[in-house]
Amino acid sequence: MAELAPNKAPETAIRGARFLLWLEAWKSFKKNKLAVVGLIIVLIFVFLAVFAPVITPEGINEQKLAERLQPPSSEHWLGTDDFGRDILSRIIHGARISLWVGFVSVIGSIVVGCFLGILAGYYGRWVDTLISRFFDIMLAFPSMLLAIAIVAVLGPSLRNALIAIAIINVPNFGRLIRSKVLSIKQEEYITAAKAIGMRDRRILFHHILPNSMAPIIVQGTLAIATAIIEAAALGFLGLGAEPPTPEWGKMLADSKDYLVQAPWTMFFPGIAIMLTVLGFNLMGDGLRDALDPRMKN
Amino acid sequence: MFSYTIRRLLMLIPVLFGMTFIVFFMIRAIPGDPAQVILGQLATEEAINNLRAELGLDQPWFTQYFEYLKQLLTLDLGESLRTRTAVSEEIWPYMAATFELSFVALLIAVVVGVNAGIISAWFQKSWFDYTAMVVALVGVSMPIFWLGLMEQWIFSVQLDWLPPSKRENVKNPVETITHFYLIDSLIQGRMDQFVDVVKHLIMPGIALATIPMAIIARITRSSMLEVLRSDYIRTARAKGQKMFWVVYKHSLKNAVIPVLTVIGLQTGLLLGGAILTETIFSWPGIGRYIYNAIEYRDYPVIQSGILIVATIFVLINLIVDLLYAFIDPRIKYN
């Protein structure tokens, strides 16, 4: 067993080097003021989402018809909607839904996209042709339209909206990973790994995937922003969350009829969507600069 | 260049095939019995069987797929289940409405975006630069359906300057010839109607233009910054050429390539975003056409509508690709 011990050393060294790289990235991220603002916005919304049941002044469905369509006041900070429900409470609960859809759909796209992208990039030949053409075809549809089509087929609901958003983002991640795999495949350490007889699966998951993480994280953060807008858009069109779910897009759709009477029903859900999306966009831009300087233009 | 064009056209064939395949299978992917889903719970057995036969669901899928392809090749896009009119017949007015709106939006996006980007780059780190870039940053994150509602609230409800929705004044309708109302009203010399149509275009145009405008401004700024630092621009400035000429004659030409890419990519966003914008502003475009079809489960219309929009998107990207070589002679395709 004694001769196995030295093998541990490079493994630890690699882990240490990786840690240093992430530390370096964090330092450079911290210097970017806009990125930090983005991170703070995101953290605030994550906090609201996690503690929604504890911090909201009222339940999401407490209807007080006597207090319907009231303007912002000390009692209802952001006013009430057409059922007399407290808008602030609904927006805080809405953060749960939007962030949930954003995170879950993007993780779904990343898992499927990575799988297909790695297959295409690593095995090449007909596998690559097949998968790449499939991506081309999916990207030939405007993404919002494809999402609407998928929901039209599956039936309108929040779950199906999430699935649709996950599907339309798959080719973006797939292509990204494929190109990463193609370039990493040429590196000497992969040739070395092959030469010592390492199996494909180990090379893919222990060497190629960890080395493709940076662009996935960047793209993933930016994709959450898009996913949140897309989910809200589907909700707005009546193809996502169903009433009485306090989904931001759905809340905006309901506010359409009260534009003259109660414009505040429209202001705040929109601001919530914009702020969250802005937060993820700023954070994503910052991460890109920190993790992958070559992607910077 | 010629061989590249041919190759690019040939590459289009599998993509178009794939698109028809996906669109064809849409209806078959409906969970449960599609005919039952379309007609609802109360439909009679006979009606369901009839619809199944009409949609070809009672036959093996490959027979139906080839039948579908044959139809498409003769430009037969099927028949709407709701209006019982051929899709190819009724779709044009909707397409014209979307084209008109997208064109105006793209025009706003390019004119404002490119100029804002140029001014920001020229006066780098000035207040204009900072303001423009913050606006662009917020613009990219803007849900356009919210922006549309805000516009309606400000310009229609509060200020009463612009009509809140629709394409024309319904009491003074434009007599249609081409279905492009700007052109139609001009041909007929009806300036009152032309002004009216322009007024109706402003709000949805701006809503649809916002995101592409923000992206174009950011890209123009960064590519201009690069170009402005190059030697030949310094020479031009040293020669004492006016700023206007330096920017528009020398630098813009070189900064236009990345902008062109963005425009190509944004067309998809415009066409997709059109559904949202058209919903808010009751704009009778193709997005609205598809959306209404979804409400009525009018699948032939959904299929054809999506196929048409996707085809347009693919073609625009092809044109953009080919345009590169014309604009920048340094780009050579082998």
Side-chain angles (χ1 to χ4, degrees):
Chain A
M1 291 312 273
E3 62 270 22
L4 274 180
N7 279 344
K8 287 273 174 208
E11 192 95 341
T12 330
I14 289 171
R15 233 172 261 155
R18 258 186 211 145
F19 175 75
L20 279 181
L21 274 178
W22 287 109
L23 196 72
E24 201 59 39
W26 165 242
K27 273 187 192 154
S28 120
F29 181 85
K30 257 196 324 193
K31 272 189 220 140
N32 186 339
K33 275 183 211 138
L34 279 177
V36 174
V37 171
L39 178 68
I40 292 172
I41 296 177
V42 170
L43 287 179
I44 290 175
F45 276 98
V46 169
F47 175 83
L48 291 179
V50 172
F51 295 103
V54 190
I55 49 179
T56 47
E58 281 178 31
I60 46 169
N61 277 318
E62 270 174 46
Q63 300 186 10
K64 291 178 190 159
L65 288 176
E67 291 177 22
R68 65 193 294 266
L69 298 178
Q70 284 195 352
S73 63
S74 57
E75 202 182 334
H76 299 287
W77 289 4
L78 303 183
T80 59
D81 68 1
D82 51 322
F83 285 103
R85 296 173 296 196
D86 183 52
I87 293 179
L88 177 65
S89 305
R90 287 177 67 76
I91 285 184
I92 293 175
H93 276 277
R96 286 194 138 187
I97 297 166
S98 288
L99 290 183
W100 166 253
V101 172
F103 278 113
V104 175
S105 68
V106 168
I107 289 171
S109 322
I110 290 179
V111 170
V112 180
C114 276
F115 179 70
L116 292 176
I118 285 179
L119 282 185
Y122 193 76
Y123 291 107
R125 295 173 188 238
W126 66 269
V127 183
D128 185 22
T129 313
L130 194 73
I131 293 174
S132 295
R133 283 298 86 76
F134 174 68
F135 288 160
D136 284 348
I137 292 162
M138 280 190 69
L139 290 170
F141 293 92
S143 57
M144 195 59 217
L145 194 70
L146 191 58
I148 289 171
I150 294 170
V151 177
V153 169
L154 298 177
S157 76
L158 187 63
R159 194 188 59 130
N160 291 342
L162 190 152
I163 295 173
I165 295 166
I167 294 176
I168 59 172
N169 282 320
V170 165
N172 296 325
F173 288 102
R175 277 193 167 179
L176 185 74
I177 290 301
R178 177 181 168 274
S179 69
K180 253 330 228 189
V181 172
L182 283 179
S183 68
I184 294 176
K185 215 166 71 169
Q186 308 299 329
E187 303 272 346
E188 278 174 10
Y189 64 89
I190 299 296
T191 322
K194 275 189 188 159
I196 60 167
M198 207 181 259
R199 270 176 308 155
D200 278 359
R201 202 192 295 167
R202 191 169 161 83
I203 296 180
L204 284 173
F205 289 98
H206 281 78
H207 294 284
I208 292 184
L209 199 58
N211 280 302
S212 328
M213 252 5 251
I216 297 179
I217 292 173
V218 173
Q219 182 76 29
T221 314
L222 295 169
I224 292 177
T226 332
I228 289 174
I229 284 212
E230 280 159 348
L234 288 174
F236 182 79
L237 290 174
L239 298 171
E242 280 152 277
T245 320
E247 198 271 329
W248 293 340
K250 183 88 192 70
M251 287 170 75
L252 271 182
D254 295 340
S255 78
K256 260 190 308 188
D257 301 332
Y258 303 98
L259 217 54
V260 183
Q261 256 181 298
W264 54 87
T265 54
M266 175 263 292
F267 294 155
F268 302 113
I271 292 174
I273 301 173
M274 200 184 69
L275 274 180
T276 325
V277 173
L278 185 67
F280 278 105
N281 275 335
L282 290 176
M283 208 172 107
D285 282 347
L287 282 173
R288 181 177 51 202
D289 295 351
L291 287 174
D292 199 349
R294 275 164 305 174
M295 281 169 86
K296 209 169 164 181
N297 47 33
Chain B
M1 183 64 208
F2 180 73
S3 71
Y4 175 75
T5 312
I6 297 292
R7 204 148 43 88
R8 228 14 209 85
L9 280 172
L10 286 177
M11 267 166 64
L12 212 62
I13 294 173
V15 172
L16 288 175
F17 256 113
M19 276 164 36
T20 58
F21 204 69
I22 288 182
V23 165
F24 171 79
F25 268 100
M26 258 185 66
I27 202 164
R28 279 151 190 83
I30 298 173
D33 177 2
Q36 175 88 59
V37 171
I38 290 169
L39 292 174
Q41 292 299 322
L42 298 172
T44 60
E45 193 64 30
E46 195 194 346
I48 291 175
N49 285 335
N50 283 343
L51 184 65
R52 214 177 277 150
E54 190 191 331
L55 296 172
L57 295 168
D58 52 352
Q59 289 178 43
W61 67 267
F62 45 88
T63 325
Q64 272 312 302
Y65 181 61
F66 285 112
E67 201 57 40
Y68 179 64
L69 280 185
K70 247 199 297 185
Q71 273 183 17
L72 284 180
L73 284 175
T74 56
L75 296 180
D76 175 359
L77 295 170
E79 188 185 276
S80 161
L81 295 177
R82 186 163 61 102
T83 60
R84 289 287 163 199
T85 318
V87 174
S88 52
E89 260 172 53
E90 61 176 17
I91 206 165
W92 176 245
Y94 297 101
M95 275 171 69
T98 297
F99 282 149
E100 196 166 63
L101 178 59
S102 302
F103 176 75
V104 168
L106 199 59
L107 196 71
I108 297 174
V110 171
V111 171
V112 179
V114 167
N115 283 299
I118 290 175
I119 299 172
S120 284
W122 192 273
F123 299 109
Q124 199 194 355
K125 294 184 178 160
S126 66
W127 66 267
F128 181 90
D129 184 23
Y130 287 122
T131 320
M133 286 308 110
V134 169
V135 172
L137 206 58
V138 175
V140 180
S141 312
M142 184 77 84
I144 54 170
F145 39 101
W146 182 59
L147 180 69
L149 291 175
M150 288 290 283
E151 282 182 328
Q152 280 181 334
W153 181 70
I154 297 172
F155 296 108
S156 302
V157 177
Q158 296 294 313
L159 300 170
D160 198 19
W161 286 354
L162 295 168
S165 59
K166 301 256 163 43
R167 234 186 130 183
E168 58 181 336
N169 185 349
V170 268
K171 285 179 201 145
N172 184 14
V174 177
E175 208 175 302
T176 51
I177 303 169
T178 60
H179 290 281
F180 291 105
Y181 285 5
L182 287 173
I183 298 175
D184 288 348
S185 57
L186 272 184
I187 297 175
Q188 293 163 54
R190 295 287 303 270
M191 277 322 278
D192 57 324
Q193 287 184 339
F194 182 77
V195 172
D196 193 56
V197 172
V198 170
K199 275 188 176 170
H200 278 86
L201 269 165
I202 294 175
M203 286 203 298
I206 292 175
L208 198 52
T210 306
I211 294 178
M213 182 161 64
I215 297 175
I216 291 173
R218 285 171 79 171
I219 301 273
T220 311
R221 178 179 177 274
S222 67
S223 54
M224 276 301 275
L225 278 177
E226 219 162 273
V227 174
L228 284 175
R229 278 193 215 111
S230 57
D231 288 342
Y232 72 97
I233 295 296
R234 197 170 331 122
T235 313
R237 287 172 86 171
K239 273 199 316 189
Q241 272 202 350
K242 289 232 170 70
M243 168 191 160
F244 184 83
W245 283 113
V246 174
V247 171
Y248 286 90
K249 199 171 154 208
H250 295 293
S251 2
L252 191 58
K253 235 188 200 169
N254 285 300
V256 86
I257 303 287
V259 176
L260 194 66
T261 314
V262 177
I263 293 173
L265 292 174
Q266 293 306 309
T267 325
L269 209 73
L270 279 182
L271 292 169
I275 298 190
L276 293 163
T277 317
E278 288 171 6
T279 306
I280 300 162
F281 294 99
S282 312
W283 192 266
I286 186 121
R288 197 81 200 124
Y289 182 58
I290 296 173
Y291 179 73
N292 284 338
I294 291 176
E295 237 165 271
Y296 289 98
R297 300 199 187 90
D298 194 347
Y299 282 91
V301 169
I302 305 176
Q303 285 177 309
S304 300
I306 289 174
L307 192 63
I308 287 174
V309 175
T311 310
I312 295 170
F313 181 41
V314 171
L315 290 178
I316 288 173
N317 272 317
L318 172 75
I319 294 169
V320 168
D321 266 5
L322 297 178
L323 269 181
Y324 286 146
F326 282 107
I327 291 181
D328 189 348
R330 285 172 306 183
I331 295 178
K332 286 238 159 57
Y333 295 111
N334 295 313

